[in-house]
Amino acid sequence: QVQLVESGGALVPPGGSLRLSCAASGSSFSIATMGWYRQAPGKQRELVAVITSGRSVNYADSVKGRFTISRDNAKNMAYLQMNSLKPEDTARYYCRYCSDEVCPGRYNYWGQGTQVTVSS
């Protein structure tokens, strides 16, 4: 099994920045598709950003231009740089590991999440 641990969530004022990190265990990180999702109270979990093993990326329209997903295969890490944060970005953010380019894949794992609160 793959263990995922998110970190970096915090309370931040509107317009601020945060960098979320996701540390993954295992030996197949470099060929996995990694994604960031978020869920606010009363709402469904939604895709924020995804990056494939080939470093192709996709973003939700609501965060495009403000957020950047990246990965460091040597460290088994995925990141989400969040700039120009808005109150509507407030949510719990989850890291997702997918073993294939098409997801859900053969193996899929979720972290426990990290809370991001954007408020003045």
Side-chain angles (χ1 to χ4, degrees):
Q1 294 187 357
V2 174
Q3 304 293 124
L4 303 173
V5 180
E6 302 98 330
S7 62
L11 173 64
V12 62
S17 296
L18 286 173
R19 185 177 180 84
L20 306 184
S21 298
C22 174
S25 67
S27 60
S28 300
F29 180 84
S30 64
I31 60 173
T33 297
M34 301 298 298
W36 286 97
Y37 292 72
R38 67 186 182 187
Q39 187 169 27
K43 294 188 176 181
Q44 296 188 54
R45 186 173 297 185
E46 64 176 349
L47 174 69
V48 176
V50 62
I51 183 167
T52 68
S53 61
R55 290 186 168 83
S56 176
V57 300
N58 281 290
Y59 299 93
D61 288 342
S62 59
V63 308
K64 199 169 187 177
R66 299 188 296 122
F67 292 9
T68 303
I69 188 171
S70 62
R71 66 193 298 160
D72 186 338
N73 291 340
K75 297 180 178 179
N76 272 29
M77 297 286 290
Y79 306 96
L80 184 68
Q81 178 66 46
M82 309 164 67
N83 298 326
S84 302
L85 284 162
K86 304 175 180 180
E88 50 263 47
D89 295 319
T90 295
R92 191 164 186 86
Y93 284 71
Y94 298 87
C95 179
R96 188 264 283 138
Y97 172 108
C98 169
S99 62
D100 304 281
E101 292 187 6
V102 177
C103 302
R106 287 166 290 180
Y107 305 98
N108 308 277
Y109 303 95
W110 293 86
Q112 293 187 348
T114 185
Q115 180 67 36
V116 173
T117 301
V118 184
S119 177
S120 59

